[in-house]
Amino acid sequence: MPESQETGFTHFDETGKSHMVDVSDKAESNREATAEAFVRMHSQTRLQIEQQAMKKGDVLAVSELAGIMAAKRTADLIPLCHPLPLTKVSVHSSWVDGDDMHAHLLDAADDHHESAYLRLRATVKTTSRTGVEMEALTACSIAALTVYDMCKAIDKDMTIEQVRLVHKAGGRSGTYERKI
Amino acid sequence: MPESQETGFTHFDETGKSHMVDVSDKAESNREATAEAFVRMHSQTRLQIEQQAMKKGDVLAVSELAGIMAAKRTADLIPLCHPLPLTKVSVHSSWVDGDDMHAHLLDAADDHHESAYLRLRATVKTTSRTGVEMEALTACSIAALTVYDMCKAIDKDMTIEQVRLVHKAGGRSGTYERKI
Amino acid sequence: MPESQETGFTHFDETGKSHMVDVSDKAESNREATAEAFVRMHSQTRLQIEQQAMKKGDVLAVSELAGIMAAKRTADLIPLCHPLPLTKVSVHSSWVDGDDMHAHLLDAADDHHESAYLRLRATVKTTSRTGVEMEALTACSIAALTVYDMCKAIDKDMTIEQVRLVHKAGGRSGTYERKI
Amino acid sequence: MPESQETGFTHFDETGKSHMVDVSDKAESNREATAEAFVRMHSQTRLQIEQQAMKKGDVLAVSELAGIMAAKRTADLIPLCHPLPLTKVSVHSSWVDGDDMHAHLLDAADDHHESAYLRLRATVKTTSRTGVEMEALTACSIAALTVYDMCKAIDKDMTIEQVRLVHKAGGRSGTYERKI
Amino acid sequence: MPESQETGFTHFDETGKSHMVDVSDKAESNREATAEAFVRMHSQTRLQIEQQAMKKGDVLAVSELAGIMAAKRTADLIPLCHPLPLTKVSVHSSWVDGDDMHAHLLDAADDHHESAYLRLRATVKTTSRTGVEMEALTACSIAALTVYDMCKAIDKDMTIEQVRLVHKAGGRSGTYERKI
Amino acid sequence: MPESQETGFTHFDETGKSHMVDVSDKAESNREATAEAFVRMHSQTRLQIEQQAMKKGDVLAVSELAGIMAAKRTADLIPLCHPLPLTKVSVHSSWVDGDDMHAHLLDAADDHHESAYLRLRATVKTTSRTGVEMEALTACSIAALTVYDMCKAIDKDMTIEQVRLVHKAGGRSGTYERKI
């Protein structure tokens, strides 16, 4: 059966159909992306993380590692992502000053002054035909979710905020730097 | 590692070690959790989603399904989560009025008035020994990431905001309802 | 928060939305399903399988095992399937007489007389809230695809035919037996 | 221990052993494959799919997406398949006229006149050392199984028929086009 | 395959066929298993692990976590293992005195006196129809392999030794305790 | 927000943090690794394997295949391993003479004279930026664990011994051959 002959088949409009887009004509090149997520929590929760007092274990070490492993699962999770051979993945956590978050990044709600903010930042590299923005975003998202999992016994109010692309380089669309 | 220095295999100090906590003594019971995430995007991006104009396909349908499938992968992604037999998963998207978001949920930054907000809300159920908060949070996070993936060609500024537990019922710790 | 009250959110109609249906009210019970698939191939291909002459290895043993392992991945592959604790999986291959296939099951195309038919039959059991039809169908499908993979170097014309549920027992909908 | 010295080890014959064949000497090249599967169902089932009346959701959209995601899992499922970096995957469904199926493709059984046929067609591309036939066949098989899953509440008689390679290009073995 | 030669689909000899054995008649009960593995390495390698000097990161913490996560993948990896809902997983590392290893467990080769031994011990629990020996063995094996991965830049001679079941309780076969 | 500006963030020392190391500057090259594991078992267990008398099926064929499939999962299991496109995987089993094991490889414990030793040897190739030692070690480890799984009903004393790298070629660090 000639594969393109459609006589006898009902109409079939591909417009709007979901698909993993064709990147076979793109050249392989070095690509890199950095993304971050913030976990807002009660100050008391931060204290217990820093004192290694959480029953499930070392929150920051486990969360960073979960993010690294998740980056490698991105194409399994995000339906239309291309599978890519990653050449580097790192996820780092750091505590962010609430006033800074208040002034520059997030919002003016008063109760935020008493919140602590943990930043999870992921950097991913590849040499491939498409970029690694989704890998970086997935890594910091899963790292943030792991923080939630390990602390939820004492703080179910935690929220994950401002998951966002910070930087991207390489590929046809060039470099992206987030403004604010 | 002084704490595990051993004479002939016996003593062994587990303090601070990460582990998947023992739930074998907990009774099986019906449990449910609802979580949500918001994707903030340019109004123009919303328009293109609604007009089904995104090149990769139907953004909302694909994202909801990605969230459902991700719920089933939670124990693979979150290192210390117990694998659970899920009995229901749903993920629904809805557009949220920016002024509402402004007033009640997020922040007062002026530029937000021109943003559109898509809410991804996931509900998960199980009959098991531990809860499904992480499954619900993972579902809406991966759904939100899929929105990002499908729209990033036209809007890399999108951010995922306010990933949070909305409601949880069942289990020893009882019911949780988020206060705003 | 009543989950259907959406004051301040735009309308949101769940009709037609995809979801993993709620089975939390169903009782656990013993369930079983048998499914089968047929691989039609050139007689010469059958000969080489039987003589263990395929370069990739033992076609039937590898294919059966691939089917067993695939049954355990069903909920990962079929988006709205519930994850189930399987209590038994087997996949067995057997050669089917072409005339039998001709007369009873398939079609009258003359060239089929020279075809060989390999049947892959899978049986799966669980004690759970929903059935294992999809696990059995997935097992025999992946087994059949593995036959294709291992023989495609010499026979790209192979087709997988008549993937179908043969038998199912247990659960609210009761017993199903395929009538030819 | 010299790795090839076998003194003291019993004989060891590799003939007939299963293995993932060595493709390290093959050159990377652009490769493409198209495969298709058909789901035969009661006409009434087709009607309900078209009216979006299935309880589990949008059958065609979910099935196509399931097929795309399955293509990326091929090397996990088919034991001796090489993992490949896919550069494109699409799966499209279309209704096929039963009389056409009758005349050209399938069989003369009378009851087929009242059947509806849904065709699932998958196209996959890579730039790699081996072809993507299995990825295309896996995609349309899993898409077809997903159709079954979403409709089985009303039609357990559905069968998946004629899973087959339609077209392949690239690589040492050149182009293949299915006749009939 | 002469043993499955069939006349019209009926006879079918299952002798010798691989299958996931039927446990549907077994009762659910509490089960537990402990297994361990040893990594033998140069004393200098131990020193660098203890000083946190390995380039890839914290060897013991990463390896323990890798073991925990691997326990949850056991049924994906070991073809005929039943998928089980684990209720507890822990993996702990400890340094073992070489002389102890020498005297009681391993061998008399002189060079072993200068080796360091890291023990990885995993404990897994479930409430299910079959045991968790394989989950415990998989956990400590993957933890040991992770140690190798993180140290191989400086010590490719490391060997994983004495992977073994230490203890098992629950189920029809009762309690097992390793002698020695 | 400039991605490297850290004003307002607390100090953040990356020393000792776990990460998947950057290999983007390494050149792609042909790489190969061979590893092996030994399963020590009661002589009676060997006899039953050879007579294909194990209830779960063909021990050697299933174990070899499990090893091949596991090689493809290595980056999923070992947290800091890079995902690689494997170009060849084989796993072969062979019986090893106990006296040889005794004299050259293992130890002098008397009871070993009555043990049987099965060797699982895996060879893996890739054309990539980093080596495949972990893939080869994972393949033979999972193959050995599968032997345990299939025989544990009659022999829980089995131990996996001497999992080790035998040979490696390609890449910046050159060739490695195990001595002894």
Side-chain angles (χ1 to χ4, degrees):
Chain A
M1 194 184 71
E3 86 282 21
S4 58
Q5 188 189 323
E6 299 279 342
T7 320
F9 292 87
T10 62
H11 266 294
F12 177 70
D13 184 357
E14 298 203 1
T15 310
K17 292 272 184 176
S18 303
H19 62 291
M20 192 198 293
V21 299
D22 192 345
V23 298
S24 56
D25 289 339
K26 289 182 165 185
E28 285 198 344
S29 67
N30 290 321
R31 291 149 190 278
E32 179 177 345
T34 298
E36 65 188 11
F38 296 84
V39 184
R40 180 183 160 199
M41 63 186 73
H42 295 305
S43 303
Q44 181 60 27
T45 308
R46 171 179 173 168
L47 209 63
Q48 295 205 30
I49 292 174
E50 292 182 304
Q51 294 171 343
Q52 299 269 17
M54 289 297 172
K55 184 182 166 198
K56 285 195 169 189
D58 181 338
V59 176
L60 303 187
V62 173
S63 299
E64 290 167 356
L65 197 67
I68 291 170
M69 295 182 80
K72 297 191 270 185
R73 313 290 293 278
T74 303
D76 261 5
L77 297 169
I78 310 296
L80 304 175
C81 261
H82 297 80
L84 300 177
L86 309 183
T87 52
K88 178 204 160 148
V89 184
S90 68
V91 179
H92 292 300
S93 54
S94 54
W95 295 103
V96 180
D97 185 317
D99 287 330
D100 262 314
M101 289 299 284
H102 173 60
H104 298 303
L105 292 171
L106 297 168
D107 67 79
D110 283 346
D111 67 325
H112 285 208
H113 287 291
E114 295 172 18
S115 294
Y117 290 89
L118 179 69
R119 185 178 65 161
L120 285 312
R121 178 171 276 208
T123 295
V124 181
K125 288 188 181 181
T126 192
T127 302
S128 190
R129 290 181 173 75
T130 183
V132 282
E133 295 96 313
M134 293 317 301
E135 281 75 7
L137 285 160
T138 300
C140 62
S141 293
I142 297 296
L145 288 168
T146 302
V147 171
Y148 192 98
D149 179 50
M150 295 186 74
C151 303
K152 70 181 191 292
I154 66 161
D155 184 358
K156 285 188 180 53
D157 295 332
M158 284 176 292
T159 54
I160 299 173
E161 301 186 351
Q162 301 292 331
V163 183
R164 58 195 192 179
L165 183 65
V166 172
H167 165 82
K168 142 190 193 296
R172 221 142 49 181
S173 73
T175 298
Y176 168 87
E177 297 285 349
R178 175 172 289 272
K179 292 173 292 286
I180 283 301
Chain B
M1 201 180 73
E3 85 272 27
S4 57
Q5 181 67 36
E6 301 192 11
T7 324
F9 297 108
T10 34
H11 279 294
F12 181 67
D13 185 356
E14 299 201 0
T15 309
K17 294 274 186 173
S18 304
H19 61 290
M20 191 199 293
V21 299
D22 191 345
V23 297
S24 57
D25 289 340
K26 290 182 163 184
E28 285 199 343
S29 68
N30 290 322
R31 292 149 189 279
E32 179 176 345
T34 298
E36 64 190 10
F38 296 83
V39 184
R40 180 182 159 199
M41 62 186 73
H42 295 306
S43 303
Q44 182 60 26
T45 308
R46 170 179 174 168
L47 210 64
Q48 294 205 30
I49 292 174
E50 292 183 304
Q51 293 171 345
Q52 299 268 16
M54 288 298 171
K55 184 183 167 198
K56 285 196 169 187
D58 181 337
V59 177
L60 303 186
V62 173
S63 299
E64 289 167 357
L65 197 66
I68 291 170
M69 296 181 79
K72 296 191 272 184
R73 313 290 294 279
T74 303
D76 261 5
L77 296 168
I78 310 296
L80 304 176
C81 260
H82 297 80
L84 300 176
L86 309 183
T87 53
K88 176 201 161 149
V89 185
S90 68
V91 179
H92 292 301
S93 54
S94 55
W95 294 103
V96 180
D97 185 316
D99 289 330
D100 262 316
M101 288 299 284
H102 173 60
H104 298 303
L105 291 172
L106 297 168
D107 68 79
D110 283 347
D111 66 325
H112 284 208
H113 287 292
E114 293 171 19
S115 295
Y117 290 89
L118 179 69
R119 184 178 66 161
L120 285 311
R121 177 171 280 209
T123 295
V124 181
K125 287 188 182 181
T126 193
T127 301
S128 190
R129 288 180 174 76
T130 182
V132 281
E133 295 95 312
M134 292 318 301
E135 282 74 7
L137 285 161
T138 300
C140 62
S141 293
I142 297 295
L145 288 168
T146 302
V147 172
Y148 191 97
D149 179 51
M150 295 186 73
C151 303
K152 69 180 190 293
I154 66 162
D155 184 358
K156 285 188 179 54
D157 296 331
M158 283 176 291
T159 54
I160 299 173
E161 301 186 352
Q162 301 292 330
V163 184
R164 59 194 191 180
L165 184 65
V166 172
H167 165 83
K168 148 194 187 293
R172 224 143 44 181
S173 72
T175 298
Y176 168 88
E177 296 288 348
R178 174 173 292 271
K179 295 171 290 283
I180 281 304
Chain C
M1 194 184 74
E3 84 279 25
S4 58
Q5 189 190 323
E6 299 276 343
T7 319
F9 293 88
T10 62
H11 267 295
F12 177 69
D13 184 356
E14 298 203 1
T15 310
K17 292 274 185 175
S18 303
H19 63 290
M20 191 198 293
V21 299
D22 191 345
V23 297
S24 56
D25 289 340
K26 290 182 164 185
E28 285 198 344
S29 67
N30 290 322
R31 291 149 189 279
E32 179 176 344
T34 297
E36 64 189 10
F38 296 84
V39 183
R40 181 183 159 199
M41 63 186 73
H42 294 307
S43 303
Q44 182 60 27
T45 308
R46 171 179 173 168
L47 210 63
Q48 294 205 30
I49 292 174
E50 291 182 305
Q51 294 172 342
Q52 299 269 16
M54 289 298 173
K55 185 183 166 198
K56 285 196 169 187
D58 181 338
V59 176
L60 303 186
V62 173
S63 299
E64 290 167 356
L65 197 66
I68 291 171
M69 296 181 80
K72 296 191 270 185
R73 313 291 293 278
T74 304
D76 262 4
L77 296 168
I78 310 297
L80 304 175
C81 260
H82 297 79
L84 300 177
L86 309 182
T87 53
K88 178 202 160 150
V89 185
S90 68
V91 179
H92 293 298
S93 54
S94 55
W95 294 104
V96 179
D97 184 316
D99 288 330
D100 263 318
M101 288 298 285
H102 173 61
H104 298 304
L105 291 172
L106 297 167
D107 67 79
D110 282 346
D111 67 324
H112 284 209
H113 287 292
E114 295 171 19
S115 294
Y117 290 88
L118 179 70
R119 183 178 65 164
L120 286 311
R121 178 170 279 208
T123 295
V124 181
K125 287 187 180 180
T126 192
T127 301
S128 189
R129 290 179 173 76
T130 182
V132 283
E133 295 95 312
M134 293 317 302
E135 281 75 7
L137 286 161
T138 300
C140 63
S141 293
I142 297 295
L145 288 167
T146 301
V147 171
Y148 192 97
D149 178 50
M150 295 186 73
C151 303
K152 70 181 191 293
I154 67 163
D155 184 358
K156 286 188 178 54
D157 295 331
M158 284 176 291
T159 55
I160 300 172
E161 302 187 350
Q162 301 293 330
V163 184
R164 60 194 191 179
L165 184 65
V166 172
H167 165 83
K168 146 191 189 297
R172 221 143 48 183
S173 73
T175 298
Y176 168 89
E177 297 285 349
R178 173 172 292 271
K179 295 172 290 284
I180 280 304
Chain D
M1 196 185 69
E3 86 281 20
S4 57
Q5 189 190 323
E6 300 278 343
T7 320
F9 293 90
T10 63
H11 266 295
F12 177 71
D13 184 357
E14 298 202 1
T15 310
K17 293 273 184 173
S18 304
H19 62 291
M20 191 198 293
V21 299
D22 192 345
V23 297
S24 56
D25 289 341
K26 290 182 164 185
E28 286 198 342
S29 67
N30 290 322
R31 291 151 189 278
E32 179 176 345
T34 297
E36 65 189 10
F38 295 84
V39 184
R40 181 182 160 200
M41 62 185 74
H42 295 306
S43 303
Q44 182 61 26
T45 307
R46 171 179 173 167
L47 210 63
Q48 294 204 31
I49 291 174
E50 292 183 306
Q51 293 171 345
Q52 300 268 16
M54 289 296 172
K55 184 183 167 197
K56 284 196 171 188
D58 182 338
V59 177
L60 304 186
V62 173
S63 299
E64 290 167 356
L65 197 66
I68 291 171
M69 296 181 81
K72 296 190 270 185
R73 312 290 292 279
T74 303
D76 261 5
L77 296 168
I78 311 296
L80 305 175
C81 261
H82 297 80
L84 300 176
L86 309 182
T87 53
K88 178 202 160 148
V89 184
S90 68
V91 179
H92 293 300
S93 55
S94 55
W95 295 103
V96 179
D97 185 315
D99 288 329
D100 261 316
M101 288 298 284
H102 173 61
H104 298 304
L105 293 170
L106 297 169
D107 67 79
D110 283 347
D111 66 325
H112 285 208
H113 287 291
E114 293 171 20
S115 294
Y117 291 89
L118 179 70
R119 184 177 65 161
L120 285 311
R121 177 170 279 208
T123 296
V124 181
K125 288 188 182 181
T126 192
T127 302
S128 189
R129 289 179 174 77
T130 182
V132 282
E133 295 95 313
M134 293 317 301
E135 281 75 7
L137 285 161
T138 300
C140 62
S141 292
I142 297 295
L145 288 168
T146 302
V147 171
Y148 192 97
D149 178 51
M150 295 186 73
C151 303
K152 70 181 190 292
I154 67 163
D155 184 358
K156 285 187 180 54
D157 296 330
M158 283 176 291
T159 54
I160 300 172
E161 301 186 351
Q162 301 292 329
V163 184
R164 58 195 192 179
L165 184 65
V166 172
H167 165 82
K168 143 191 192 297
R172 220 142 49 180
S173 72
T175 296
Y176 167 88
E177 296 286 348
R178 175 173 289 272
K179 295 172 292 285
I180 282 301
Chain E
M1 199 180 73
E3 86 274 29
S4 58
Q5 180 68 37
E6 302 193 9
T7 326
F9 298 108
T10 35
H11 279 293
F12 181 66
D13 186 356
E14 299 201 1
T15 309
K17 293 275 186 174
S18 303
H19 62 291
M20 191 198 293
V21 299
D22 192 345
V23 297
S24 56
D25 289 340
K26 289 181 165 186
E28 284 197 344
S29 67
N30 290 322
R31 291 149 190 278
E32 179 176 344
T34 297
E36 64 189 9
F38 295 83
V39 184
R40 180 181 160 201
M41 62 186 73
H42 294 306
S43 302
Q44 181 60 27
T45 308
R46 172 178 172 169
L47 209 64
Q48 295 205 28
I49 292 175
E50 291 183 304
Q51 294 171 344
Q52 298 269 16
M54 288 297 173
K55 185 182 166 197
K56 285 195 169 189
D58 181 338
V59 177
L60 303 186
V62 173
S63 298
E64 289 167 356
L65 198 66
I68 291 171
M69 296 181 80
K72 296 191 271 185
R73 313 290 294 278
T74 304
D76 261 6
L77 296 169
I78 310 297
L80 304 176
C81 260
H82 297 81
L84 299 177
L86 308 183
T87 53
K88 177 202 160 149
V89 185
S90 67
V91 179
H92 293 299
S93 54
S94 55
W95 295 103
V96 179
D97 185 317
D99 287 329
D100 263 318
M101 290 298 285
H102 173 60
H104 298 305
L105 291 171
L106 297 167
D107 66 79
D110 283 346
D111 66 325
H112 284 207
H113 287 290
E114 294 171 19
S115 294
Y117 290 88
L118 179 70
R119 184 178 65 165
L120 285 311
R121 178 171 277 208
T123 295
V124 181
K125 287 188 181 180
T126 192
T127 302
S128 190
R129 289 178 174 76
T130 182
V132 282
E133 295 95 313
M134 293 318 301
E135 281 74 8
L137 285 161
T138 300
C140 62
S141 292
I142 297 297
L145 288 167
T146 302
V147 171
Y148 191 97
D149 178 50
M150 296 185 73
C151 303
K152 69 181 191 292
I154 66 162
D155 185 358
K156 285 187 179 55
D157 295 331
M158 284 176 290
T159 54
I160 299 173
E161 301 186 352
Q162 301 292 332
V163 184
R164 59 194 192 179
L165 185 65
V166 172
H167 165 82
K168 147 192 189 294
R172 224 146 41 183
S173 73
T175 298
Y176 168 87
E177 298 285 348
R178 175 172 290 272
K179 293 171 293 284
I180 285 299
Chain F
M1 195 184 68
E3 85 282 18
S4 58
Q5 188 190 323
E6 298 279 344
T7 320
F9 292 88
T10 62
H11 267 295
F12 177 69
D13 184 357
E14 298 204 1
T15 310
K17 292 273 186 176
S18 303
H19 62 291
M20 192 198 293
V21 299
D22 191 345
V23 297
S24 57
D25 288 339
K26 290 182 165 185
E28 286 198 343
S29 67
N30 290 322
R31 292 150 189 277
E32 180 177 343
T34 297
E36 64 188 10
F38 295 84
V39 184
R40 180 182 160 200
M41 63 185 73
H42 294 306
S43 302
Q44 181 60 26
T45 307
R46 172 178 173 169
L47 209 64
Q48 295 206 29
I49 292 174
E50 292 183 305
Q51 293 172 344
Q52 298 268 15
M54 288 297 172
K55 185 182 167 198
K56 285 194 169 189
D58 182 338
V59 176
L60 303 187
V62 173
S63 299
E64 290 167 356
L65 198 66
I68 291 171
M69 296 181 80
K72 297 191 270 184
R73 313 290 293 279
T74 303
D76 261 4
L77 296 169
I78 310 296
L80 304 176
C81 261
H82 297 80
L84 300 177
L86 308 183
T87 53
K88 177 202 161 149
V89 185
S90 67
V91 179
H92 292 301
S93 55
S94 56
W95 295 103
V96 180
D97 185 317
D99 288 329
D100 263 315
M101 289 298 284
H102 174 60
H104 297 303
L105 292 170
L106 296 168
D107 67 81
D110 284 346
D111 66 325
H112 284 208
H113 287 291
E114 294 170 20
S115 294
Y117 290 88
L118 180 69
R119 184 178 66 161
L120 286 311
R121 178 171 278 207
T123 296
V124 181
K125 288 188 182 180
T126 192
T127 302
S128 190
R129 289 179 174 76
T130 182
V132 282
E133 295 95 313
M134 293 317 301
E135 282 73 8
L137 286 161
T138 300
C140 62
S141 293
I142 297 295
L145 288 167
T146 302
V147 171
Y148 191 99
D149 179 50
M150 295 185 74
C151 303
K152 69 180 191 291
I154 66 161
D155 185 358
K156 286 187 180 55
D157 295 331
M158 283 176 290
T159 54
I160 300 173
E161 301 187 351
Q162 301 291 331
V163 184
R164 58 195 192 179
L165 184 65
V166 172
H167 165 82
K168 145 192 191 295
R172 225 147 40 184
S173 72
T175 297
Y176 168 89
E177 296 286 348
R178 174 173 291 271
K179 293 171 292 285
I180 284 299

